Amino acid sequence: LPKTEEAAPAAAEKNEQKVAQATEIAAPASGPEQDASLEHGRHVAFLADRLFDELAELHGLGKKWRRRLHLAALLHDIGFAEGRRKHHKISMRRIETDTTLGIADKDRPLVALLARYHRKAWPSQKHRRFADLSGKKRDAICKAAALLRIADGLDYRHLGNIQDVSGEVTDSVIRLQLRSCGECTPESARAVKKGDLLEHLTERTLECTCREA
């Protein structure tokens, strides 16, 4: 392989390590609460990766957006360092301005927007940062944000009990099969609630079923 191709995976891994280190530094508390916050980000990133892969034919996004989604999932709650209220917007601004996070300049505004849209309002042309993007990037942000919102819902209680996700798509339904290490009704319900954006984008109904491992 050419040197540039050989170096790409190593560079991506190095950048992810930087993000993980920065997340630890920015954690809002110390002790068990900090550990739970950090683990939540890692687990949401894992779930976002699984959703991205399982629903690939539905969203049609490429590897660059998988990486951006993963980084946004790791960092989506970094704004908690300043409190819960509007932490999604604080996360966005932190990602935009903190160059120590190790995110490439071209990716930083996109990762920041994904973190901003992990909760509350959907992407909207009323939001300047979103409106300034090209139509293709706006479409990708909507799809990736929809996956992030569901991934976050699947770790609603920050317990990490959803161990895996598989997906099935029909003309009218998106079915997520959850493999859990314990009771997961709250996570399943929350994922369906936060799946409203994906339902809107795809004109399909989201369903979740849970199976204990």
mmCIF file of all heavy atoms in Angstrom, residues 160-188:
data_model
loop_
_atom_site.group_PDB
_atom_site.id
_atom_site.type_symbol
_atom_site.label_atom_id
_atom_site.label_comp_id
_atom_site.label_asym_id
_atom_site.label_seq_id
_atom_site.Cartn_x
_atom_site.Cartn_y
_atom_site.Cartn_z
ATOM 1 N N GLY A 160 -25.016 1.118 30.372
ATOM 2 C CA GLY A 160 -24.280 0.308 29.404
ATOM 3 C C GLY A 160 -24.854 -1.085 29.226
ATOM 4 O O GLY A 160 -24.123 -2.008 28.848
ATOM 5 N N ASN A 161 -26.161 -1.237 29.468
ATOM 6 C CA ASN A 161 -26.717 -2.588 29.423
ATOM 7 C C ASN A 161 -27.141 -3.053 28.034
ATOM 8 O O ASN A 161 -27.421 -4.229 27.841
ATOM 9 C CB ASN A 161 -27.890 -2.728 30.405
ATOM 10 C CG ASN A 161 -29.033 -1.781 30.098
ATOM 11 O OD1 ASN A 161 -28.840 -0.791 29.391
ATOM 12 N ND2 ASN A 161 -30.214 -2.061 30.620
ATOM 13 N N ILE A 162 -27.159 -2.147 27.052
ATOM 14 C CA ILE A 162 -27.413 -2.575 25.669
ATOM 15 C C ILE A 162 -26.070 -2.990 25.072
ATOM 16 O O ILE A 162 -25.218 -2.164 24.778
ATOM 17 C CB ILE A 162 -28.052 -1.456 24.827
ATOM 18 C CG1 ILE A 162 -29.320 -0.928 25.492
ATOM 19 C CG2 ILE A 162 -28.342 -1.973 23.410
ATOM 20 C CD1 ILE A 162 -30.401 -1.965 25.677
ATOM 21 N N GLN A 163 -25.891 -4.282 24.862
ATOM 22 C CA GLN A 163 -24.602 -4.803 24.448
ATOM 23 C C GLN A 163 -24.419 -4.832 22.937
ATOM 24 O O GLN A 163 -23.298 -4.820 22.442
ATOM 25 C CB GLN A 163 -24.405 -6.212 25.020
ATOM 26 C CG GLN A 163 -24.348 -6.229 26.544
ATOM 27 C CD GLN A 163 -24.095 -7.607 27.089
ATOM 28 O OE1 GLN A 163 -24.537 -8.615 26.529
ATOM 29 N NE2 GLN A 163 -23.360 -7.676 28.189
ATOM 30 N N ASP A 164 -25.536 -4.881 22.204
ATOM 31 C CA ASP A 164 -25.428 -4.889 20.745
ATOM 32 C C ASP A 164 -26.766 -4.513 20.134
ATOM 33 O O ASP A 164 -27.817 -4.579 20.797
ATOM 34 C CB ASP A 164 -24.987 -6.265 20.236
ATOM 35 C CG ASP A 164 -24.389 -6.205 18.829
ATOM 36 O OD1 ASP A 164 -24.154 -5.078 18.335
ATOM 37 O OD2 ASP A 164 -24.157 -7.273 18.242
ATOM 38 N N VAL A 165 -26.708 -4.115 18.879
ATOM 39 C CA VAL A 165 -27.902 -3.703 18.141
ATOM 40 C C VAL A 165 -27.839 -4.296 16.747
ATOM 41 O O VAL A 165 -26.794 -4.246 16.087
ATOM 42 C CB VAL A 165 -27.999 -2.166 18.014
ATOM 43 C CG1 VAL A 165 -29.291 -1.776 17.297
ATOM 44 C CG2 VAL A 165 -27.913 -1.492 19.367
ATOM 45 N N SER A 166 -28.932 -4.850 16.295
ATOM 46 C CA SER A 166 -29.048 -5.253 14.895
ATOM 47 C C SER A 166 -30.288 -4.587 14.322
ATOM 48 O O SER A 166 -31.215 -4.233 15.050
ATOM 49 C CB SER A 166 -29.142 -6.781 14.761
ATOM 50 O OG SER A 166 -30.263 -7.278 15.461
ATOM 51 N N GLY A 167 -30.284 -4.390 13.012
ATOM 52 C CA GLY A 167 -31.383 -3.658 12.395
ATOM 53 C C GLY A 167 -31.983 -4.363 11.194
ATOM 54 O O GLY A 167 -31.296 -5.084 10.473
ATOM 55 N N GLU A 168 -33.265 -4.140 10.996
ATOM 56 C CA GLU A 168 -33.985 -4.647 9.830
ATOM 57 C C GLU A 168 -34.861 -3.525 9.306
ATOM 58 O O GLU A 168 -35.560 -2.857 10.076
ATOM 59 C CB GLU A 168 -34.849 -5.853 10.217
ATOM 60 C CG GLU A 168 -35.688 -6.387 9.079
ATOM 61 C CD GLU A 168 -36.701 -7.439 9.529
ATOM 62 O OE1 GLU A 168 -36.775 -7.705 10.744
ATOM 63 O OE2 GLU A 168 -37.417 -7.969 8.663
ATOM 64 N N VAL A 169 -34.819 -3.301 8.016
ATOM 65 C CA VAL A 169 -35.573 -2.203 7.407
ATOM 66 C C VAL A 169 -36.543 -2.755 6.367
ATOM 67 O O VAL A 169 -36.159 -3.525 5.489
ATOM 68 C CB VAL A 169 -34.629 -1.181 6.742
ATOM 69 C CG1 VAL A 169 -35.442 -0.054 6.097
ATOM 70 C CG2 VAL A 169 -33.652 -0.609 7.765
ATOM 71 N N THR A 170 -37.802 -2.357 6.490
ATOM 72 C CA THR A 170 -38.807 -2.680 5.478
ATOM 73 C C THR A 170 -39.291 -1.371 4.854
ATOM 74 O O THR A 170 -38.786 -0.288 5.171
ATOM 75 C CB THR A 170 -39.993 -3.444 6.095
ATOM 76 O OG1 THR A 170 -40.766 -2.542 6.907
ATOM 77 C CG2 THR A 170 -39.509 -4.613 6.944
ATOM 78 N N ASP A 171 -40.293 -1.467 4.006
ATOM 79 C CA ASP A 171 -40.822 -0.263 3.367
ATOM 80 C C ASP A 171 -41.492 0.673 4.362
ATOM 81 O O ASP A 171 -41.626 1.866 4.094
ATOM 82 C CB ASP A 171 -41.830 -0.640 2.279
ATOM 83 C CG ASP A 171 -41.161 -1.283 1.072
ATOM 84 O OD1 ASP A 171 -39.938 -1.106 0.907
ATOM 85 O OD2 ASP A 171 -41.867 -1.975 0.306
ATOM 86 N N SER A 172 -41.894 0.148 5.510
ATOM 87 C CA SER A 172 -42.647 0.979 6.457
ATOM 88 C C SER A 172 -42.078 0.996 7.874
ATOM 89 O O SER A 172 -42.486 1.838 8.677
ATOM 90 C CB SER A 172 -44.105 0.502 6.527
ATOM 91 O OG SER A 172 -44.167 -0.854 6.944
ATOM 92 N N VAL A 173 -41.144 0.097 8.189
ATOM 93 C CA VAL A 173 -40.671 -0.049 9.569
ATOM 94 C C VAL A 173 -39.155 -0.180 9.632
ATOM 95 O O VAL A 173 -38.540 -0.799 8.758
ATOM 96 C CB VAL A 173 -41.318 -1.289 10.240
ATOM 97 C CG1 VAL A 173 -40.799 -1.461 11.670
ATOM 98 C CG2 VAL A 173 -42.835 -1.178 10.245
ATOM 99 N N ILE A 174 -38.575 0.420 10.679
ATOM 100 C CA ILE A 174 -37.180 0.175 11.048
ATOM 101 C C ILE A 174 -37.216 -0.583 12.364
ATOM 102 O O ILE A 174 -37.662 -0.052 13.383
ATOM 103 C CB ILE A 174 -36.393 1.493 11.229
ATOM 104 C CG1 ILE A 174 -36.432 2.330 9.956
ATOM 105 C CG2 ILE A 174 -34.935 1.210 11.642
ATOM 106 C CD1 ILE A 174 -35.939 3.750 10.154
ATOM 107 N N ARG A 175 -36.769 -1.830 12.360
ATOM 108 C CA ARG A 175 -36.788 -2.654 13.575
ATOM 109 C C ARG A 175 -35.385 -2.794 14.131
ATOM 110 O O ARG A 175 -34.478 -3.246 13.434
ATOM 111 C CB ARG A 175 -37.365 -4.032 13.274
ATOM 112 C CG ARG A 175 -38.824 -4.032 12.883
ATOM 113 C CD ARG A 175 -39.383 -5.453 12.835
ATOM 114 N NE ARG A 175 -40.790 -5.446 12.458
ATOM 115 C CZ ARG A 175 -41.214 -5.567 11.191
ATOM 116 N NH1 ARG A 175 -40.340 -5.700 10.207
ATOM 117 N NH2 ARG A 175 -42.507 -5.546 10.922
ATOM 118 N N LEU A 176 -35.225 -2.410 15.391
ATOM 119 C CA LEU A 176 -33.959 -2.576 16.079
ATOM 120 C C LEU A 176 -34.094 -3.689 17.106
ATOM 121 O O LEU A 176 -34.975 -3.638 17.965
ATOM 122 C CB LEU A 176 -33.537 -1.279 16.776
ATOM 123 C CG LEU A 176 -33.299 -0.053 15.889
ATOM 124 C CD1 LEU A 176 -32.855 1.129 16.750
ATOM 125 C CD2 LEU A 176 -32.262 -0.350 14.808
ATOM 126 N N GLN A 177 -33.250 -4.694 16.974
ATOM 127 C CA GLN A 177 -33.204 -5.777 17.947
ATOM 128 C C GLN A 177 -32.076 -5.480 18.920
ATOM 129 O O GLN A 177 -30.909 -5.389 18.528
ATOM 130 C CB GLN A 177 -32.960 -7.121 17.250
ATOM 131 C CG GLN A 177 -32.822 -8.311 18.181
ATOM 132 C CD GLN A 177 -34.143 -8.707 18.831
ATOM 133 O OE1 GLN A 177 -35.163 -8.804 18.152
ATOM 134 N NE2 GLN A 177 -34.129 -8.941 20.129
ATOM 135 N N LEU A 178 -32.407 -5.301 20.192
ATOM 136 C CA LEU A 178 -31.429 -4.939 21.208
ATOM 137 C C LEU A 178 -31.028 -6.176 21.998
ATOM 138 O O LEU A 178 -31.887 -6.914 22.478
ATOM 139 C CB LEU A 178 -32.014 -3.894 22.161
ATOM 140 C CG LEU A 178 -32.757 -2.709 21.526
ATOM 141 C CD1 LEU A 178 -33.317 -1.810 22.623
ATOM 142 C CD2 LEU A 178 -31.848 -1.934 20.585
ATOM 143 N N ARG A 179 -29.737 -6.378 22.147
ATOM 144 C CA ARG A 179 -29.246 -7.450 23.012
ATOM 145 C C ARG A 179 -28.759 -6.811 24.302
ATOM 146 O O ARG A 179 -27.877 -5.950 24.286
ATOM 147 C CB ARG A 179 -28.123 -8.229 22.337
ATOM 148 C CG ARG A 179 -27.658 -9.444 23.142
ATOM 149 C CD ARG A 179 -26.830 -10.402 22.295
ATOM 150 N NE ARG A 179 -25.635 -9.782 21.786
ATOM 151 C CZ ARG A 179 -24.482 -9.712 22.458
ATOM 152 N NH1 ARG A 179 -24.392 -10.200 23.683
ATOM 153 N NH2 ARG A 179 -23.421 -9.140 21.918
ATOM 154 N N SER A 180 -29.368 -7.218 25.404
ATOM 155 C CA SER A 180 -29.138 -6.537 26.674
ATOM 156 C C SER A 180 -28.640 -7.504 27.739
ATOM 157 O O SER A 180 -28.933 -8.702 27.706
ATOM 158 C CB SER A 180 -30.441 -5.889 27.142
ATOM 159 O OG SER A 180 -30.335 -5.391 28.451
ATOM 160 N N CYS A 181 -27.900 -6.946 28.700
ATOM 161 C CA CYS A 181 -27.445 -7.739 29.842
ATOM 162 C C CYS A 181 -28.401 -7.583 31.032
ATOM 163 O O CYS A 181 -28.105 -8.017 32.140
ATOM 164 C CB CYS A 181 -26.028 -7.343 30.254
ATOM 165 S SG CYS A 181 -25.859 -5.619 30.768
ATOM 166 N N GLY A 182 -29.534 -6.942 30.796
ATOM 167 C CA GLY A 182 -30.522 -6.745 31.855
ATOM 168 C C GLY A 182 -31.781 -6.132 31.278
ATOM 169 O O GLY A 182 -31.908 -5.961 30.066
ATOM 170 N N GLU A 183 -32.722 -5.811 32.123
ATOM 171 C CA GLU A 183 -33.985 -5.212 31.695
ATOM 172 C C GLU A 183 -33.718 -3.883 30.993
ATOM 173 O O GLU A 183 -32.948 -3.058 31.456
ATOM 174 C CB GLU A 183 -34.873 -4.996 32.932
ATOM 175 C CG GLU A 183 -36.342 -4.781 32.611
ATOM 176 C CD GLU A 183 -36.660 -3.341 32.295
ATOM 177 O OE1 GLU A 183 -35.955 -2.451 32.807
ATOM 178 O OE2 GLU A 183 -37.608 -3.101 31.535
ATOM 179 N N CYS A 184 -34.349 -3.691 29.837
ATOM 180 C CA CYS A 184 -34.003 -2.496 29.048
ATOM 181 C C CYS A 184 -35.225 -1.766 28.511
ATOM 182 O O CYS A 184 -35.130 -1.069 27.496
ATOM 183 C CB CYS A 184 -33.055 -2.861 27.913
ATOM 184 S SG CYS A 184 -33.780 -3.911 26.645
ATOM 185 N N THR A 185 -36.364 -1.907 29.172
ATOM 186 C CA THR A 185 -37.557 -1.194 28.727
ATOM 187 C C THR A 185 -37.356 0.325 28.681
ATOM 188 O O THR A 185 -37.765 0.977 27.706
ATOM 189 C CB THR A 185 -38.753 -1.537 29.632
ATOM 190 O OG1 THR A 185 -38.995 -2.949 29.566
ATOM 191 C CG2 THR A 185 -40.008 -0.799 29.179
ATOM 192 N N PRO A 186 -36.718 0.943 29.693
ATOM 193 C CA PRO A 186 -36.504 2.400 29.620
ATOM 194 C C PRO A 186 -35.643 2.813 28.427
ATOM 195 O O PRO A 186 -35.926 3.830 27.779
ATOM 196 C CB PRO A 186 -35.809 2.717 30.949
ATOM 197 C CG PRO A 186 -36.224 1.626 31.871
ATOM 198 C CD PRO A 186 -36.293 0.404 31.005
ATOM 199 N N GLU A 187 -34.605 2.046 28.145
ATOM 200 C CA GLU A 187 -33.734 2.380 27.005
ATOM 201 C C GLU A 187 -34.478 2.223 25.682
ATOM 202 O O GLU A 187 -34.359 3.068 24.781
ATOM 203 C CB GLU A 187 -32.489 1.482 27.020
ATOM 204 C CG GLU A 187 -31.459 1.857 28.068
ATOM 205 C CD GLU A 187 -31.832 1.412 29.465
ATOM 206 O OE1 GLU A 187 -32.732 0.547 29.607
ATOM 207 O OE2 GLU A 187 -31.234 1.927 30.426
ATOM 208 N N SER A 188 -35.243 1.146 25.574
ATOM 209 C CA SER A 188 -36.011 0.911 24.358
ATOM 210 C C SER A 188 -37.021 2.030 24.123
ATOM 211 O O SER A 188 -37.133 2.565 23.008
ATOM 212 C CB SER A 188 -36.735 -0.436 24.465
ATOM 213 O OG SER A 188 -37.537 -0.678 23.335
#
